Structures are given as structure tokens and as C-alpha cells.
Amino acid sequence: MTDENRPSTDPYKGVRDFYPEDMAIQRYLFDTWAVTAESFGFERYDASVLEPAELYRSKAAENEEIVNEQTYTFIDKGDREVTLRPEMTPTVARMVAGRRRELPLPLRWYSIPNLFRYERAQRGRLREHWQLNADIFGTTDQNADVEIIHLAASIFTAFGATAADFEIKINNRAALTRSIEPLLRPGARLNDMLKLLDMKPKMELERYREEEMKLLTEPFETHSEVPSEVASVLAALAALGVHNAVYEPTIVRGFNYYTGTIFEIFDTNPENRRSLLGGGRYDNLTALFGGEPVPAVGFGMGDVTMRDFLETHDLLKSIPEKLKPGPRVTVVNDGAATVEDAARVAALVRDRGVNVSSNLSDKKLGDQLKLAERSGATFALIIAGDTKMELKRLSDRSITRGELAELIPHMQ
Amino acid sequence: MTDENRPSTDPYKGVRDFYPEDMAIQRYLFDTWAVTAESFGFERYDASVLEPAELYRSKAAENEEIVNEQTYTFIDKGDREVTLRPEMTPTVARMVAGRRRELPLPLRWYSIPNLFRYERAQRGRLREHWQLNADIFGTTDQNADVEIIHLAASIFTAFGATAADFEIKINNRAALTRSIEPLLRPGARLNDMLKLLDMKPKMELERYREEEMKLLTEPFETHSEVPSEVASVLAALAALGVHNAVYEPTIVRGFNYYTGTIFEIFDTNPENRRSLLGGGRYDNLTALFGGEPVPAVGFGMGDVTMRDFLETHDLLKSIPEKLKPGPRVTVVNDGAATVEDAARVAALVRDRGVNVSSNLSDKKLGDQLKLAERSGATFALIIAGDTKMELKRLSDRSITRGELAELIPHMQ
């Protein structure tokens, strides 16, 4: 076969292969997300990555740019326009709206979907990532805002982070509107000012002031007092032991659908100043599907930023043993026992709840032990012709001898 | 907003939404698959659903019809042809070929990918399903064939099925070739006869015989003796306690890449006679990417057929408590305690390892208890102004009274 006919071993541009060692980290993220969400009584849902494209036209989309330029949208063979979901919120709003009458509100729901954005390749950014999405549907009560932020903070502590490692910045869309509207020049639009404010951290201050003065009659005072909606959320979080939350008047979250509390979590490490998580209240989104709207508050956090955070704070060392790839024990056979004997002994060990593999080919014992070590096994169980066996810890080569029943407890 | 502008609440045609009660079943399937594969020392990997379309052109594809007519393939904005993976084997072959030199062969790898097939809508079949894929790479040894079939059988028993519920049918591509080739008419192709044999169960016998006589000089005797390759696999399985495997000479698995042992598992229930799982040895596939091939044997089993099997045999009742959607406990507050008090008590309960939610809005106690029941909670923890609480089991309304520390053990 010529080189030109060979398919590449690379994945598609901008997506990742997860070899076992990366998959173990990915599962650690997902398991910690799931366990923490469920500790708050959240239930898991899911949906397909394929959605009708119409779902993202209209206010259901968080961001116009994403809909117009950054989605994977194609026409299927039945002339339907299909999109690979760029975010989960429109999907979950669709699902809740579809069963609004039967579902037991309030709902606490979470999901760990993969999302697609078609970003320009030269930016070097990923086109697929995974995200924890958690939402409470069916109540306008501020206690739901507090609970969803409490959950977000608890996820960081579940990974071993301390309150000093991250900061929760909170604002409120209604308060933002109240303070901006009196300042708007005639004809200037609130949304334009929100967009500008959202861009502020990425702009030079002089340029920002210039643009601001086109929209407002006087500078928007970002050091004004804490709005009452934010103050009460901060107080309730403090009562629950969450003390690393602050009011941040420049948090806007540039999305169409937020209506109340909005928040983001930032890494406090100066080398990793990225937003790690963002969310807020969106009470009107399900109205797009008809009928009375179901109020909602939720957030999303991505796997890539989460992993960066864990690496920055040296928190990946705590991956539990059971998530490490590879078997706990590999059964190897010396000359007197066969490969088939090894498979039978492995089946007995497995029945006792130990993850175990066995040697598959006729090889010298030394070569089998080397393979066992490379496979990531913690122990090799060496069987000979009789019932006495040797359990060898591969890290320090220490050996325990005995019959199988005696050795099982040493494998745990 | 007019009806015409409303997006539908239905998912895209041919894919499924997983509301929490369906997601719980899905997770039970995936968890059982994962735990069983890991008990054999298999390591989990994953990759994106997006693959370069070229991966499926050539022998890497299991079936020409699928590549030509049944894939979701589209052109991205960078003029790359992209496919939503229709099967996992080409992906895993790509990944193994890409790191052939570094990977510690033999590999035991598994994954639970979603796969897409663009089938005609009128057939009513799903366009997306999930599949357990398990493979051993790096050895031609028959012990690997035996182990992969042992794993397949163990998955059924892990769900509570007995050996009488399913049957493993085994054949061998090399043996099939050996017995067909001497019978071929001049000019007739082996592959045409394999395809015909694969279709036999779906054809009328008369029509099959007619087609067969065009290709062969005499009828292919399907009741010939067991080929030695199959006999030794059956013997090794029996030695491991797997007694429901048989030789089945009409098993062909109509895919290009199989080279040795091939097998399928069937439900023995006459009402659900579908193939539940299929696989085999494919020793040459990775050669497509250049270099020496890495021999492989593996199988795939789908979530939809697995769920049908479990329903047919009434095996879904064993879903573990921890997979059931909803919190274990909901904290409700009577008039003397507030919603904020409920959130604080819930946090204390959560710290003791119990999945717990709390009431979010000012409501009468009776209404809060009704909501707790609808949410799927097993217990309501009723708090009043003092430290005495009531733990109410919602199924039988039995009540235990005490301080929080006394009640925690009753929540397990």
C-alpha cells in the first residue's frame, strides 16, 4: 500500500484521543462532578449531540456569534438542518419544556455532555470539550441561586482545593440594568453597554472609556455599593460556610438569556487567571417552546479548564487507585503451569472481586513479569504446578507465598 | 411569539433524550459493562465522535454499505471531510497504530462510544446508539480469543442472566475459507459466497439454494464436523466454566476485516431471537496505517439490544439503589425553621455521605412532603426550631425521632 492511500493515525483536527492514562484523568473529573452533584440530590440526564439547527436560532442560543459562525451545522439526507450542540442549556430547556406538566418541579438536573465549537484552527483551541451542566428548574426563589453556587464551590473542594484557590464573583442582571439604564444616552442600547462591559477585562482602559462615553452620559461606576440581590446571596453563602464569594460589578456573561443572578469562578493563581465556571439565572428560556416559562438557574464548567486548574494546584495526585488504568493483579505461569492454568486462576481471583488479567502466550517467566510491570499491574501472581503460589509486589519485588485463599487479602 | 417561530421540543429524528429514569437504566448498563471489563484488567479509552472521513474508506470499514450510504459525512469549513463514527474499530485501530511502538502489548482496551448510522427513517430504527467495545491487541494467541469470549459471557452473567438465557455461536474465518474454496465454481468469488451465507438466515431456503448453486459445484455442508480451531476454543471455554458455546458454521459476520475466530451471542428466548453481540479476530487492520500489523480480537455490543434482553428476561429490577434518580433524603422545614435552616442541615447531612436536597421555597409542610415524595426521595427529614428532628420514610410514613447524629445511620 502506498503512503498516499494510508489514512492518518491522527484524530480529526481540534479533537482529542483519550489513551488510558488520559482517560483515567477524564474519568476522575467526571466521577467527582457526578458524585458531588448527586450529593446535592441532582439527577443525571443526557441527550444526543445532534440537535435540530432551529434550536439555536432565536434567544435559545447563548451567543449570536456562536450560532452564526462557530457551530457545526450540516444538512442531512432528509434535508434537515442538524447541529452538533455547542452548549447544553438549549437542550435541557427543550427537554424540560417538553415534559413541563409531568416533571416534579423543582428539578435538580445535571449532565456531562460533550460540546462542539467550530473555532478557527490557528487559535489552537479545541473544537470539542466536555462540560458539567447543573441546573435547578421550577423556582424563582433565591435559595436556588444560593444552592447552585454552593454546589459549584463544593465541586472545587471535592477535588481537594481550598477556599484560597478560587474566588466566586457574583453580579445580578436586574441590578446591572437598574444602574445602567439611567446613564444611557438617547438612542443607546442597554445590550451594547452590557457587551462593552463584558469586553472590558480584555480592553485597554482608555479605549474602554472612549467607547463607554459614546453610550453613557457619565462613566459607569463599578465601585458602587453591593446591590441588595447580591448582598443576600453572599450572606446566605456565608451561612453555608462559603466565604470566598464577592460582588463583582463587571461580571456580565455576554449571553442573551440571563435574567437575574450571574456568577463566575476564577482561579486565584496569577498564572491561571481564567474563568473556570460560569452561570446564572435564566427564567424565560423555556417560554421559547410555548406555554408558561419554567424559571431556571444553572452553570457549566469545562473539562479542559478544570484539568488546568487541578494541574496548577497540584491536585491530580489524588486520583484514586481504582481509576488508575491497568489490572490490579496479573497471573503469570512458570514452566510447570500453563497459560490455560493462569486463565483459570485469574477467574478465581476475579470471583473474589479483584481486577485481574492473565498471561496469554508461552513466554519465559521473566518476560511475563516484565509485561505485567509494563501493563500497570500492582502485583504478579506466580503459579507453578501445585497449589502454592507467589504474590509479587512489582514496585519493590517483595513476595508473599501461600495458597490462593491466603493471598487474596494481600491483593486488596 | 407565533407557533411557526417556536422550536420543537422533540429531539432530532432517530436519536433519544435520556430523562433521569432512562438515564438511570443507561448508567446501569454502562457501569456493569465497565466493572466487568475492568475485572478482566481491561483499560478504558475514548475518542471523539468526529473522525476524518478517509478512515472509513478502505478495508478499515466493516461494511461497504455503511460507508457509502449509511454514514453522517459532511464537509467542514476548512474543506475537510468529517464523519460521525459509525463503529469504533477503525478508531481504536488508528489509536493503536499511532502509538504501536510505545504501547505495552498485549493491550486489553475497552470503550463505551456512541455510534451513528444514517438509516432510512421509515425503518423506525435509531440513528445513534451506544456500544461496549472490548479488544485485545498484540497477540495472535488463541487464548486471547478465549478470553474475549469469556468476557462477553461474563457480562451477561454480571446482569444476572443464566447460561440458559443466551447462546454463544462460534465459527472461524480460516476454517470457512478452507471448506468453501474447494467447492467454488471457476470464476466465483469466495466473498460472494460468504455474503450469501451471511444472508442465509434471512432468506427462503429455496432461494438460498438457487444462489448457492450459481457459486458452488455442490451444496455447502453446514453440518460438517467442528473445525479444530473452533473445537479448541470451545474446550478452553468449557474449562473456564462457559458451557453455552457451540460451533455454528453459518456465522459469517459480513465484514471485510475478520481473519480468524468469529462469534455472536443470541438470546435463547424465542421472542427475542436477535444477535446481542458480535466480534472476532482481525489481525491485519492496523496494517492500513503502515508498518507491521498489530493482531487483534474484539467485540461490540449495543445498548438497545442489551436493554431489550434485560427486559425480556426481567433483569432490570436489580438496578442498584445508588443508580436510582433522586436524592436519598430531602430536608423540609416546618413553620419554626426556615428554608435557610433546611439548607444548613442538608449540608451537615451531605458531609456525612448522604445524597440530600432541601426545600427551596416557603410552602406548607404538607406540600413540602408531597414534593419530597414526587422527587423520588426515600426519606424526608423534618426540622423544627430545635435540635430534635423527625426522619420520615415516605413509602410507609414511619417516623424516627432524634437529634441529627442519631438519625444519620437510619438514612443509609
Side-chain angles (χ1 to χ4, degrees):
Chain A
M1 191 178 289
T2 62
D3 273 349
E4 302 92 79
N5 289 328
R6 278 182 196 153
S8 165
T9 58
D10 293 336
Y12 171 67
K13 193 169 187 69
V15 305
R16 290 167 287 170
D17 285 333
F18 293 94
Y19 284 83
E21 60 277 17
D22 283 313
M23 190 65 189
I25 295 172
Q26 200 75 353
R27 290 180 79 192
Y28 175 60
L29 296 187
F30 294 180
D31 283 4
T32 306
W33 284 348
V35 164
T36 311
E38 285 168 22
S39 79
F40 279 75
F42 280 61
E43 302 174 61
R44 190 157 178 171
Y45 69 94
D46 201 3
S48 176
V49 292
L50 294 185
E51 285 282 3
E54 61 164 9
L55 184 61
Y56 305 98
R57 305 236 164 72
S58 68
K59 275 197 201 155
E62 68 174 22
N63 186 313
E64 283 164 35
E65 185 196 9
I66 289 167
V67 172
N68 297 332
E69 293 171 23
Q70 296 189 8
T71 62
Y72 280 96
T73 295
F74 60 99
I75 310 286
D76 76 9
K77 289 164 190 169
D79 265 337
R80 286 184 192 84
E81 223 181 337
V82 194
T83 295
L84 295 178
R85 63 181 171 213
E87 51 163 336
M88 199 61 173
T89 305
T91 295
V92 70
R94 175 179 68 65
M95 288 174 66
V96 170
R99 295 203 185 164
R100 182 196 295 105
R101 298 223 173 88
E102 304 100 272
L103 290 168
L105 301 177
L107 300 174
R108 292 172 170 89
W109 276 15
Y110 83 98
S111 190
I112 305 179
N114 52 338
L115 307 174
F116 291 87
R117 296 212 179 161
Y118 188 20
E119 311 218 40
R120 299 269 163 261
Q122 62 267 32
R123 285 194 208 161
R125 290 188 58 181
L126 288 171
R127 292 173 172 180
E128 179 185 29
H129 80 296
W130 274 257
Q131 201 179 65
L132 169 66
N133 273 252
D135 296 273
I136 300 176
F137 283 93
T139 176
T140 56
D141 209 293
Q142 179 196 274
N143 295 296
D145 307 28
V146 172
E147 180 171 310
I148 208 90
I149 297 170
H150 187 198
L151 168 58
S154 298
I155 285 165
F156 285 87
T157 49
F159 281 111
T162 66
D165 295 330
F166 64 101
E167 190 171 44
I168 305 163
K169 297 186 175 181
I170 301 178
N171 200 0
N172 186 291
R173 265 293 173 93
L176 207 49
T177 305
R178 265 203 321 272
S179 51
I180 289 174
E181 273 185 338
L183 307 178
L184 282 174
R185 288 185 188 279
R189 296 191 319 164
L190 175 67
N191 263 356
D192 290 337
M193 184 56 209
L194 291 175
K195 272 184 201 164
L196 180 65
L197 211 50
D198 193 37
M199 291 299 296
K200 190 180 175 190
K202 295 172 193 159
M203 293 174 83
E204 286 186 31
L205 188 62
E206 201 176 340
R207 172 119 175 76
Y208 167 79
R209 288 286 174 216
E210 206 174 285
E211 294 295 319
E212 185 184 38
M213 290 323 295
K214 292 182 191 162
L215 297 166
L216 303 187
T217 53
E218 57 183 276
F220 175 59
E221 185 46 79
T222 58
H223 300 284
S224 54
E225 65 182 284
V226 183
S228 62
E229 300 98 322
V230 176
S232 57
V233 168
L234 291 173
L237 284 170
L240 291 166
V242 179
H243 299 288
N244 55 340
V246 295
Y247 167 52
E248 175 51 68
T250 63
I251 294 284
V252 176
R253 301 202 49 71
F255 308 144
N256 286 324
Y257 51 55
Y258 290 116
T259 54
T261 298
I262 45 181
F263 58 95
E264 292 192 51
I265 293 185
F266 290 86
D267 194 337
T268 53
N269 187 307
E271 286 172 23
N272 188 30
R273 274 269 140 117
R274 284 207 280 172
S275 170
L276 299 167
L277 175 155
R281 177 166 282 285
Y282 53 103
D283 283 344
N284 302 324
L285 186 54
T286 59
L288 285 172
F289 301 95
E292 280 297 299
V294 182
V297 60
F299 67 82
M301 69 188 304
D303 63 331
V304 180
T305 43
M306 190 76 231
R307 189 171 166 168
D308 284 350
F309 174 84
L310 297 177
E311 281 169 354
T312 301
H313 295 273
D314 199 21
L315 292 171
L316 278 180
K317 56 183 186 293
S318 61
I319 291 190
E321 186 69 28
K322 76 175 188 68
L323 286 177
K324 288 194 178 140
R328 183 81 179 157
V329 177
T330 294
V331 183
V332 299
N333 55 297
D334 81 353
T338 65
V339 170
E340 289 75 15
D341 293 333
R344 278 192 291 275
V345 171
L348 296 172
V349 172
R350 189 174 297 127
D351 286 345
R352 301 293 296 269
V354 178
N355 289 351
V356 59
S357 64
S358 63
N359 168 54
L360 291 170
S361 318
D362 283 324
K363 282 196 173 70
K364 283 183 196 159
L365 183 59
D367 291 339
Q368 293 182 46
L369 287 169
K370 269 182 214 146
L371 280 177
E373 206 165 338
R374 285 194 72 201
S375 80
T378 305
F379 296 100
L381 180 64
I382 305 166
I383 61 164
D386 59 11
T387 58
K388 285 279 187 205
M389 300 173 186
E390 288 186 356
L391 185 67
K392 183 172 188 172
R393 183 182 288 273
L394 293 162
S395 58
D396 62 5
R397 290 168 166 64
S398 63
I399 286 177
T400 314
R401 287 186 184 79
E403 305 217 343
L404 185 57
E406 298 165 324
L407 294 177
I408 292 279
H410 295 273
M411 298 176 189
Q412 310 299 336
Chain B
M1 191 178 291
T2 63
D3 271 349
E4 303 93 78
N5 289 331
R6 279 182 195 155
S8 166
T9 59
D10 293 334
Y12 172 67
K13 193 169 187 69
V15 305
R16 289 167 286 170
D17 285 333
F18 294 94
Y19 284 83
E21 61 277 18
D22 283 313
M23 190 65 190
I25 295 173
Q26 201 74 353
R27 291 180 80 192
Y28 175 60
L29 297 187
F30 294 180
D31 283 4
T32 307
W33 284 348
V35 165
T36 312
E38 286 169 21
S39 79
F40 279 75
F42 281 61
E43 301 173 60
R44 191 155 177 174
Y45 68 93
D46 201 2
S48 176
V49 292
L50 295 184
E51 285 281 2
E54 60 163 9
L55 184 62
Y56 306 99
R57 306 237 161 73
S58 69
K59 275 194 198 157
E62 66 174 21
N63 185 314
E64 285 163 34
E65 185 197 6
I66 290 168
V67 172
N68 296 331
E69 295 172 23
Q70 296 188 8
T71 62
Y72 279 97
T73 296
F74 60 98
I75 309 287
D76 76 8
K77 290 164 190 169
D79 264 338
R80 286 184 193 83
E81 224 181 336
V82 194
T83 296
L84 294 178
R85 64 182 169 212
E87 51 162 336
M88 199 60 173
T89 306
T91 295
V92 69
R94 176 179 67 66
M95 288 174 66
V96 170
R99 295 203 185 165
R100 182 198 294 106
R101 299 221 174 88
E102 305 101 89
L103 290 167
L105 302 177
L107 301 174
R108 291 171 170 90
W109 276 15
Y110 82 99
S111 189
I112 304 178
N114 52 339
L115 308 174
F116 291 88
R117 296 212 178 162
Y118 188 21
E119 311 218 39
R120 298 268 163 263
Q122 62 268 31
R123 287 194 206 162
R125 289 188 59 180
L126 288 171
R127 291 172 173 182
E128 178 183 32
H129 80 297
W130 274 257
Q131 201 179 63
L132 169 66
N133 273 252
D135 297 272
I136 301 176
F137 284 93
T139 175
T140 56
D141 209 294
Q142 179 197 275
N143 295 296
D145 307 28
V146 172
E147 181 172 309
I148 207 89
I149 297 170
H150 187 198
L151 168 59
S154 298
I155 285 165
F156 285 87
T157 49
F159 281 112
T162 65
D165 295 330
F166 64 100
E167 190 171 43
I168 305 162
K169 297 185 175 180
I170 301 178
N171 200 0
N172 186 291
R173 265 296 173 89
L176 206 50
T177 305
R178 266 203 321 272
S179 52
I180 289 173
E181 273 187 338
L183 307 178
L184 283 175
R185 288 185 187 278
R189 296 190 319 165
L190 174 67
N191 263 356
D192 290 337
M193 185 57 208
L194 290 176
K195 272 183 199 166
L196 179 64
L197 211 51
D198 193 38
M199 291 298 295
K200 190 179 173 186
K202 295 172 193 160
M203 293 173 82
E204 286 187 29
L205 189 61
E206 202 176 340
R207 172 120 169 77
Y208 166 81
R209 287 288 175 213
E210 207 175 286
E211 294 296 318
E212 184 184 39
M213 290 324 293
K214 293 181 192 162
L215 297 166
L216 304 186
T217 53
E218 57 182 277
F220 175 60
E221 184 48 77
T222 59
H223 300 286
S224 55
E225 65 182 284
V226 183
S228 62
E229 300 98 322
V230 176
S232 57
V233 168
L234 291 173
L237 285 169
L240 291 166
V242 178
H243 299 289
N244 55 341
V246 294
Y247 167 53
E248 176 50 69
T250 63
I251 294 285
V252 176
R253 303 205 42 74
F255 309 144
N256 288 324
Y257 50 54
Y258 289 117
T259 55
T261 297
I262 45 182
F263 58 94
E264 291 192 50
I265 292 185
F266 291 87
D267 193 337
T268 54
N269 188 306
E271 287 172 23
N272 188 30
R273 273 270 139 113
R274 283 207 281 173
S275 172
L276 299 167
L277 174 156
R281 177 166 281 286
Y282 53 103
D283 284 343
N284 303 324
L285 186 55
T286 59
L288 285 171
F289 302 94
E292 281 295 300
V294 182
V297 61
F299 67 81
M301 69 188 305
D303 64 329
V304 181
T305 44
M306 191 77 232
R307 187 170 167 168
D308 284 349
F309 174 84
L310 297 177
E311 280 168 355
T312 302
H313 295 272
D314 199 22
L315 293 171
L316 278 180
K317 59 183 183 295
S318 60
I319 290 191
E321 186 68 28
K322 77 178 186 69
L323 286 177
K324 286 193 179 140
R328 182 81 178 157
V329 177
T330 294
V331 183
V332 298
N333 55 298
D334 80 355
T338 65
V339 171
E340 290 75 16
D341 294 332
R344 277 191 291 275
V345 171
L348 296 173
V349 173
R350 189 173 298 126
D351 285 344
R352 301 293 296 269
V354 178
N355 289 350
V356 58
S357 64
S358 63
N359 168 55
L360 291 170
S361 317
D362 283 324
K363 283 197 171 70
K364 282 182 196 159
L365 184 59
D367 291 337
Q368 292 181 46
L369 287 169
K370 271 182 213 146
L371 281 178
E373 206 165 338
R374 285 193 72 202
S375 79
T378 305
F379 297 99
L381 180 65
I382 305 166
I383 61 166
D386 58 11
T387 59
K388 286 279 188 204
M389 301 172 184
E390 288 186 358
L391 185 68
K392 182 171 189 174
R393 183 182 288 274
L394 293 162
S395 59
D396 62 7
R397 292 172 165 61
S398 63
I399 286 177
T400 313
R401 287 186 184 81
E403 305 218 342
L404 186 58
E406 299 165 322
L407 294 177
I408 292 278
H410 295 273
M411 299 175 188
Q412 311 299 336

